[in-house]
Amino acid sequence: MTDREAVADAVDELVSLLDGDDRIAFGEVGGVYRDASEVVVTEEGVRNASEFTTTGVWCRTFADGAAAYRFTTDLSEEGLADIVDRTVAGSEGLAQSTPAHVDTESTHRAVHEGWAAESVTERDLDEKRAIVRAAAADTETTPERLRLHYSDERSEVSLATTAGSVVRTVVDRADADVTLVPPGESKVRRHVGTTRGAQLLDGLPEAVDALDRDALELADAPDGGSPTGDAVVVLGPEAAGQLVHELAGYLAADIAAFRFSPLEPGDRLTDAPLTVDDAVEPGSWGSLPYDAEGRPTTPVRLVDRGRVESFLYDTAMAAEAERSPAGHVVPAIGFEQAPRIHHRHLRVRPGEATVDELLADADLYVRRFGPAYYRDQFERTQRDGTMPPSTPYAHDVADRIPDSAEPARVALPVAEGFRVEDGTLGAAVEPTLSWTPETMATIDGIGRAPREVTGVASKHKSRIPYAVTAPAIRLEAPLRGRE
């Protein structure tokens, strides 16, 4: 029996076990056969180059009104029986006060062969190593430190449910995380990713070259310190994308159930014509044709001309809100951790403002932010901690929220920023921008030219891919010193 056949048999066996277990109201089973490779290059050369094949299965079961998720590489009968017992025990152990709603009627049957014209498996490891090494070596900057981490995988994924859904997909995912530290300067970091397979290898030299140019510009700028106080800030397209990524996090139904979000559908964010869609872009790093519940992924308008139009839901939270789920239960990279409600590829509609109009009378231009920091300790702890894959459990957590909690206050450290002097970029600065969703009310300009930013978000220990395409945005925000 081949490894692929073993995975298929394990999925069938696991569905049968769930179907025959009276403790389980509903179950989802997935199997994956994955060919992957990895190349790591530093300023000293190739540090690692490897390729490997993995197989595994996972299941999410609903029992006693709650859900639990487990992944295993043990495809034996004993291993499959054990994963069922552990998920049931996990569900029952939650003692969840609000039972989860599951859809036991809808069935989905589909096959999707992915968006890659050329799979990552069609390039051998030696060719990948040579491309990554050459891209890292071709920089004008002489870095103190450089690290280029390239990884790819071709995953053949099967999903089946006890309601009869069967979905089979192929994901050809590749990404690169590049960090460059010029002499005496702050590090410059970029992520690029795609589900178009080997296409990323062809574009990698250009991506590293763009990073190199940004590092040189930052190194050539004089040090402008860390300005503080209220400021007119122009967010470049990539920084604007990072900000909209944070905004969309507060439009997830589970985050709202935690009482971390001050927003509701129908709320007005801004008088500016800000329109944000969560799209399904073929080949995007964050897009998949079906989500972890087996539902087709469909576009959703989150913000329409400044007004919140919709949240992101799974089946359980959509039932509570009397809305339709649109495929927002995103599998974690690698499948070892539970899927989470998350956006896929956010797209911000361009505006009419020119670059000169945005920079006029501005104080600061931000090209990139560093990782966000959630100021409220309770919110930060819940976001960083492990959570069950049963979103109504958020209501139980919300009942424990302290009166002193002040969620939805985010510190965004400026990683690449410049003072604006007479409409032109000047000295390099690294303040921290204080942001809340209410900050969006100060938007008074949206640029014309969008750019894409990709990344990997950590939500309750699950690593979730996402992408944002956004133009520059101008707003007002308070600045603090470097934190």
Side-chain angles (χ1 to χ4, degrees):
M1 180 184 297
T2 67
D3 286 344
R4 287 182 173 86
E5 292 170 338
V7 170
D9 285 353
V11 169
D12 291 341
E13 175 64 20
L14 199 47
V15 171
S16 296
L17 290 173
L18 299 185
D19 242 345
D21 194 319
D22 293 338
R23 300 171 296 174
I24 296 171
F26 180 76
E28 299 158 349
V29 174
V32 60
Y33 175 91
R34 181 172 58 179
D35 285 318
S37 65
E38 180 182 68
V39 180
V40 179
V41 176
T42 70
E43 69 278 5
E44 297 177 352
V46 177
R47 175 177 292 182
N48 175 61
S50 58
E51 54 187 0
F52 49 92
T53 298
T54 59
T55 59
V57 293
W58 67 91
C59 69
R60 185 172 70 146
T61 61
F62 290 80
D64 199 29
Y69 179 93
R70 294 291 187 274
F71 174 90
T72 184
T73 57
D74 183 355
L75 305 186
S76 67
E77 291 184 8
E78 295 80 6
L80 299 179
D82 178 65
I83 197 175
V84 171
D85 289 338
R86 287 191 290 126
T87 55
V88 171
S91 299
E92 295 175 341
L94 285 178
Q96 185 172 296
S97 62
T98 304
H101 295 269
V102 295
D103 182 358
T104 60
E105 302 298 327
S106 299
T107 59
H108 305 278
R109 294 179 177 272
V111 175
H112 192 279
E113 295 296 335
W115 288 302
E118 181 185 8
S119 172
V120 293
T121 59
E122 295 179 41
R123 307 282 186 100
D124 63 31
L125 185 61
D126 288 341
E127 182 180 1
K128 294 173 184 177
R129 181 195 294 113
I131 291 173
V132 175
R133 180 174 56 193
D138 189 21
T139 61
E140 292 186 38
T141 308
T142 303
E144 286 187 356
R145 287 189 293 114
L146 181 146
R147 188 175 190 272
L148 197 169
H149 183 177
Y150 167 86
S151 61
D152 64 36
E153 62 180 43
R154 184 182 191 276
S155 297
E156 300 172 16
V157 183
S158 300
L159 174 69
T161 74
T162 54
S165 291
V166 179
V167 175
R168 304 186 190 281
T169 60
V170 175
V171 181
D172 255 294
R173 176 174 279 146
D175 75 317
D177 194 306
V178 193
T179 301
L180 190 153
V181 182
E185 300 294 334
S186 299
K187 68 181 180 182
V188 180
R189 185 176 181 181
R190 296 289 184 273
H191 178 274
V192 290
T194 184
T195 53
R196 289 190 179 275
Q199 184 183 83
L200 186 133
L201 285 167
D202 297 331
L204 188 58
E206 182 180 347
V208 175
D209 185 57
L211 171 68
D212 188 33
R213 291 195 302 270
D214 287 346
L216 287 171
E217 182 182 12
L218 198 64
D220 289 342
D223 183 3
S226 294
T228 59
D230 293 340
V232 176
V233 182
V234 177
L235 306 179
E238 291 166 296
Q242 291 173 292
L243 185 73
V244 172
H245 161 69
E246 294 299 330
L247 170 66
Y250 288 101
L251 301 180
D254 55 341
I255 295 298
F258 280 123
R259 299 181 194 162
F260 294 156
S261 178
L263 301 173
E264 295 284 350
D267 287 351
R268 177 156 290 283
L269 272 176
T270 176
D271 290 331
L274 178 69
T275 297
V276 182
D277 296 328
D278 190 27
V280 183
E281 300 280 348
S284 165
W285 168 248
S287 293
L288 293 172
Y290 293 86
D291 78 348
E293 294 185 316
R295 291 187 173 274
T297 52
T298 56
V300 171
R301 176 146 297 175
L302 300 178
V303 180
D304 185 59
R305 297 189 64 80
R307 188 182 298 277
V308 177
E309 184 165 301
S310 180
F311 274 5
L312 310 170
Y313 299 100
D314 66 356
T315 299
M317 302 301 268
E320 285 187 28
E322 298 183 346
R323 304 292 291 264
S324 297
H328 282 108
V329 185
V330 180
I333 295 175
F335 301 100
E336 286 88 352
Q337 301 300 323
R340 303 294 178 188
I341 297 177
H342 206 272
H343 47 275
R344 301 154 313 202
H345 189 134
L346 301 171
R347 183 169 285 279
V348 182
R349 179 183 295 173
E352 298 295 330
T354 66
V355 173
D356 289 342
E357 289 169 343
L358 292 171
L359 291 176
D361 300 321
D363 302 305
L364 176 70
Y365 179 84
V366 181
R367 190 164 61 198
R368 281 269 184 162
F369 290 112
Y373 178 79
Y374 301 97
R375 293 195 181 279
D376 183 77
Q377 182 178 1
F378 187 79
E379 178 182 7
R380 187 169 63 252
T381 300
Q382 303 310 312
R383 283 178 175 269
D384 291 345
T386 301
M387 283 288 164
S390 179
T391 50
Y393 187 70
H395 297 304
D396 292 356
V397 175
D399 289 339
R400 302 196 299 269
I401 189 169
D403 293 337
S404 60
E406 295 183 86
R409 296 181 302 122
V410 185
L412 295 170
V414 175
E416 300 169 40
F418 303 87
R419 290 185 184 272
V420 180
E421 302 167 355
D422 298 325
T424 60
L425 304 190
V429 294
E430 293 184 339
T432 298
L433 187 147
S434 296
W435 179 84
T436 70
E438 288 80 7
T439 307
M440 307 303 283
T442 68
I443 294 175
D444 66 357
I446 300 176
R448 297 178 176 180
R451 292 185 64 180
E452 182 179 306
V453 61
T454 61
V456 178
S458 177
K459 184 172 182 179
H460 309 317
K461 303 298 186 183
S462 298
R463 298 176 64 246
I464 308 295
Y466 72 89
V468 188
T469 300
I473 293 176
R474 171 175 155 140
L475 48 70
E476 297 178 19
L479 304 177
R480 296 189 179 191
R482 188 69 175 173
E483 298 182 8

